[in-house]
Amino acid sequence: MDFFHSVRLDEDKCRGCINCIKRCPTEAIRVRNGKARISPELCIDCGECIRICPQRAKYAHRDKLEDFGHFKYKIALPAPALYGQFNNLDDTNYILTALKKIGFDDVYEVARGAEIVSDATRKWLKENGKGKTIISSACPAVVRLIRVRYPKLIPNVLPMNPPMVEAAIQARKIAKEKTGLEDSDIGVFFITPCPAKITAIKNPICNEVSYINGAFSIKDIYPSLLKKMSREEEPEDINNAGLIGVGWANSGGEAAGVLKERYLAADGIENVMQVLAEIENEKLPDLEFVELNACPGGCVGGPLTVENPYVAKARIQRLRKYLPVSKNRLETDEIPDHMMWEKPLTATHSLKLADNVFDAMELMTKVYEIQALLPGLDCGTCGAPSCNAMAKDIAKGKAELTDCIFRMKQEMSDETAAEELIPAPFRDEE
Amino acid sequence: MSIKLHFDVSGDDFTRAGEASGKIKNTLKELGFNPETVRNVAIAMYEAEINLVIHAGGGEIDVEISPEAVTAVFKDEGPGIADVEKAMQEGFSTAPDNVRNLGFGAGMGLPNIKRYSDEMDIKSTVGVGTVMTIKVLNKQ
Ligand SMILES: Nc1ncnc2c1ncn2[C@@H]1O[C@H](COP(=O)(O)OP(=O)(O)OP(=O)(O)O)[C@@H](O)[C@H]1O
Ligand code: SF4
Ligand SMILES: [Mg+2]
């Protein structure tokens, strides 16, 4: 398996604090020898560690605006979340025109792709959604979370490509007709709110090839766009998405576009995990559609955005106000093949302690024995997010008992000397 | 070979109800139990745990996990169940209004435990308490 991840660590900046380890929803990070380490099997690229890192050592690997590369024709695919980043805007054309001014030859809104995906989803649910709760696959962090932590729910995941892929396919088609260029001369770039989408572009889970050549973050592109946006000039008439497509930026937007009554939309990684657990326990049997976004507020809350998610949401509501419901739909009666996943989503089984129940139970028994020796404080000073995670690390030979400062203290021979050497938070009461 | 887990379930804090069954479920996932077994255990244990909190003011759970089966004993010193057969019927419930507002009290807990487990036994004495044993076989 190929473990490309956008979320990475700048070793030079990391000072080995333990802020990130507890924030990681899959417990993928450990601090060892003063540096954080991210386990590639467990990382879902949600970017929670990027948000919390005080040293800014966690970052999203992304393309740089300078690297437009060799493409003869360049197309920008702005995520709908981009629209929420600018103040006092009542027309998205200002943003879309600015994208052309900074060097793109054309712009195709991901919101348009979103409307086609909404249409296809409605159709797909009619034929395949009976008696089953279908979970959206638009947020790649959620898809990866499901495969790592909730593999039982894989059959519930909508096996459809997200709006950015549909947008890329449409944009390429238009560009080829317009210019007569080859695919290899056309560069398609996503303007992304998050590292999860970057990973999905560079390393698609359910497709063989990526239709997108690169990704620029909203944060990186924001200052250059601002410079090129002016009220004096009338913008080009580029926008071509309705309120359903633009609404995908916010949590609940995708679900609303499905036009089902019994839906749920949850955002923020902790809420998402709770909802997934509830679905797994069959506590939410009546739901037809579940939209889950790893980020607070939806993609407007992506780690690579500029504005506060709720401010961005309010702005998008304003932008949506006078839009028609939808401007894009499927052009065929059938859902075209390219919209569906090429390969099925598979589980990674990284939660399992061992390949068979017997070995796993043996290891688990060892884990409990070790855990009984740990103080149960989940303080994180050992570099693991909890005493249980630490006990597992020790059982697997990845850490030592004395990496726990409380154990260390017990092992020091001279009690009083130990008391003096031990830092105040870990000393016994006087 | 078996793994034993013990949980004290507090009757005071309703917001924590369901935590023990959640932990049992995660343990089974880590052990690589069949997903269907995990689901059956999770649902049966959840219902029994909630009953401990709603109807009995808390209690304790002892779980034994072996490769063949998961067995859990739920013990409480609550009011007991006067007529177990009646309590087992779908729709029978004495749940108070405050928890009904949260969606409990449909009288589906015990029937669901029966449905999702392979063996179920209730020993209850009014005024003394209830001991319920649930066994779920590991489907291979
Ligand atoms: N541990 C217990 N102690 C005392 N009474 C109990 C206990 N467990 C169940 N009962 C009694 O049995 C009845 C039926 O239980 P059951 O779990 O089927 O339904 P419920 O808890 O009332 O509602 P639901 O489980 O659907 O939320 C309860 O209303 C209660 O009167
Ligand atoms: S919610 Fe949106 S911005 Fe956040 S990780 Fe998922 S796709 Fe990216
Ligand atoms: Mg009940």
Side-chain angles (χ1 to χ4, degrees):
Chain A
M1 199 180 294
D2 173 8
F3 283 127
F4 175 96
H5 284 290
S6 169
V7 174
R8 294 177 190 189
L9 178 79
D10 182 338
E11 285 243 1
D12 296 334
K13 284 191 187 158
C14 178
R15 294 174 59 194
C17 75
I18 50 177
N19 284 295
C20 56
I21 57 176
K22 282 186 176 274
R23 186 71 170 255
C24 176
T26 59
E27 300 195 331
I29 312 175
R30 298 289 184 276
V31 174
R32 293 275 173 271
N33 305 324
K35 302 286 171 201
R37 291 192 191 153
I38 312 172
S39 151
E41 291 88 352
L42 292 171
C43 174
I44 58 168
D45 293 280
C46 62
E48 288 298 309
C49 54
I50 296 182
R51 296 180 203 270
I52 195 139
C53 178
Q55 312 300 333
R56 304 198 175 271
K58 294 282 187 2
Y59 68 99
H61 177 81
R62 59 206 185 270
D63 294 301
K64 293 275 172 293
L65 273 172
E66 306 83 76
D67 316 332
F68 265 118
H70 55 284
F71 298 102
K72 293 199 180 119
Y73 195 79
K74 300 159 211 96
I75 310 169
L77 305 181
L82 178 68
Y83 306 156
Q85 310 298 313
F86 305 92
N87 207 354
N88 271 324
L89 204 70
D90 43 26
D91 185 352
T92 52
N93 277 327
Y94 285 101
I95 309 169
L96 304 175
T97 305
L99 278 168
K100 284 181 113 174
K101 286 194 192 152
I102 64 171
F104 289 100
D105 298 294
D106 205 353
V107 179
Y108 189 98
E109 296 169 273
V110 173
R112 297 183 61 185
E115 294 189 335
I116 302 173
V117 170
S118 291
D119 195 9
T121 306
R122 290 192 291 268
K123 196 160 264 162
W124 192 89
L125 286 177
K126 213 177 272 169
E127 278 150 34
N128 307 281
K130 294 253 150 51
K132 198 166 161 190
T133 301
I134 298 301
I135 304 171
S136 156
S137 55
C139 173
V142 169
V143 175
R144 282 179 192 267
L145 177 68
I146 290 173
R147 105 196 272 227
V148 171
R149 287 269 131 143
Y150 306 92
K152 208 195 123 206
L153 296 179
I154 286 177
N156 298 63
V157 180
L158 180 68
M160 193 180 290
N161 290 320
M164 70 170 181
V165 172
E166 181 58 21
I169 290 169
Q170 296 300 335
R172 271 184 188 282
K173 203 165 91 188
I174 295 169
K176 277 197 276 187
E177 281 163 14
K178 196 150 111 189
T179 64
L181 288 170
E182 295 288 316
D183 251 328
S184 54
D185 287 327
I186 301 170
V188 177
F189 298 90
F190 182 57
I191 317 295
T192 184
C194 65
K197 291 280 190 196
I198 302 177
T199 301
I201 289 168
K202 307 276 172 181
N203 181 19
I205 318 183
C206 297
N207 278 335
E208 302 293 345
V209 288
S210 188
Y211 299 92
I212 303 168
N213 300 90
F216 305 120
S217 78
I218 289 181
K219 243 186 192 141
D220 286 346
I221 218 162
Y222 179 79
S224 12
L225 283 182
L226 263 191
K227 268 186 235 145
K228 299 283 181 192
M229 283 166 69
S230 113
R231 284 205 177 275
E232 326 292 88
E233 267 170 71
E234 192 58 25
E236 272 185 66
D237 190 12
I238 303 172
N239 73 18
N240 207 354
L243 62 84
I244 286 188
V246 176
W248 272 65
N250 297 329
S251 172
E254 179 190 4
V258 164
L259 308 178
K260 287 275 179 204
E261 268 166 28
R262 285 174 284 132
Y263 75 82
L264 174 158
D267 53 275
I269 195 76
E270 265 151 39
N271 293 325
V272 165
M273 298 200 3
Q274 280 170 14
V275 169
L276 287 171
E278 298 252 315
I279 301 175
E280 204 178 47
N281 282 351
E282 300 178 18
K283 295 266 176 49
L284 305 168
D286 304 326
L287 290 173
E288 293 170 288
F289 189 76
V290 174
E291 173 191 335
L292 300 173
N293 290 289
C295 298
C299 295
V300 284
L304 307 179
T305 58
V306 181
E307 192 47 270
N308 170 285
Y310 299 95
V311 174
K313 178 177 178 178
R315 289 180 182 162
I316 286 175
Q317 298 297 37
R318 174 174 163 195
L319 280 169
R320 270 170 37 123
K321 196 143 183 210
Y322 300 108
L323 294 180
V325 173
S326 180
K327 288 185 167 181
N328 303 272
R329 49 190 53 81
L330 282 180
E331 281 162 13
T332 48
D333 282 342
E334 297 285 311
I335 301 169
D337 283 346
H338 75 250
M339 292 191 76
M340 305 307 293
W341 286 348
E342 286 169 17
K343 1 176 227 192
L345 184 65
T346 49
T348 56
H349 294 300
S350 48
L351 214 58
K352 275 202 214 169
L353 285 177
D355 283 338
N356 68 70
V357 176
F358 288 92
D359 291 349
M361 283 187 63
E362 209 164 291
L363 198 59
M364 178 85 71
T365 309
K366 212 163 128 191
V367 169
Y368 286 139
E369 281 165 16
I370 297 166
Q371 205 176 330
L373 301 172
L374 298 172
L377 299 174
D378 296 344
C379 70
T381 46
C382 60
S386 65
C387 295
N388 179 262
M390 178 62 170
K392 275 180 220 151
D393 287 352
I394 297 172
K396 290 178 187 161
K398 292 182 184 166
E400 314 237 349
L401 209 45
T402 46
D403 291 338
C404 167
I405 188 149
F406 298 93
R407 287 299 314 178
M408 178 72 175
K409 187 177 149 185
Q410 277 179 25
E411 313 245 319
M412 283 182 169
S413 51
D414 188 330
E415 285 277 343
T416 45
E419 260 329 284
E420 276 160 26
L421 286 171
I422 291 279
F426 311 108
R427 267 178 225 155
D428 286 334
E429 264 182 80
E430 273 147 74
Chain B
M1 183 171 33
S2 77
I3 285 177
K4 294 192 174 77
L5 304 170
H6 177 85
F7 300 93
D8 290 314
V9 177
S10 151
D12 306 329
D13 189 355
F14 194 68
T15 61
R16 307 198 71 154
E19 279 187 7
S21 42
K23 281 186 189 147
I24 298 166
K25 176 176 148 192
N26 274 346
T27 306
L28 294 180
K29 279 188 178 182
E30 286 178 345
L31 290 172
F33 271 70
N34 174 307
E36 202 186 322
T37 309
V38 178
R39 181 208 44 194
N40 294 350
V41 174
I43 295 175
M45 304 282 150
Y46 177 85
E47 293 290 1
E49 182 183 357
I50 297 287
N51 279 359
L52 277 189
V53 180
I54 297 181
H55 304 296
E60 48 186 40
I61 312 176
D62 280 289
V63 188
E64 185 169 351
I65 304 170
S66 80
E68 296 79 35
V70 180
T71 313
V73 182
F74 295 76
K75 214 182 290 169
D76 67 63
E77 293 173 2
I81 305 171
D83 185 343
V84 172
E85 212 172 298
K86 199 163 159 196
M88 288 292 299
Q89 285 169 9
E90 289 191 8
F92 177 84
S93 173
T94 60
D97 280 344
N98 60 345
V99 302
R100 283 182 194 264
N101 294 337
L102 286 166
F104 297 104
M108 286 305 292
L110 295 178
N112 269 336
I113 296 173
K114 176 118 197 125
R115 200 169 128 216
Y116 286 100
S117 65
D118 294 284
E119 285 170 36
M120 172 184 184
D121 174 65
I122 301 178
K123 292 208 167 45
S124 191
T125 314
V126 174
V128 178
T130 304
V131 180
M132 174 155 71
T133 308
I134 302 170
K135 186 167 179 177
V136 177
L137 299 177
N138 186 19
K139 315 255 175 331
Q140 282 306 329

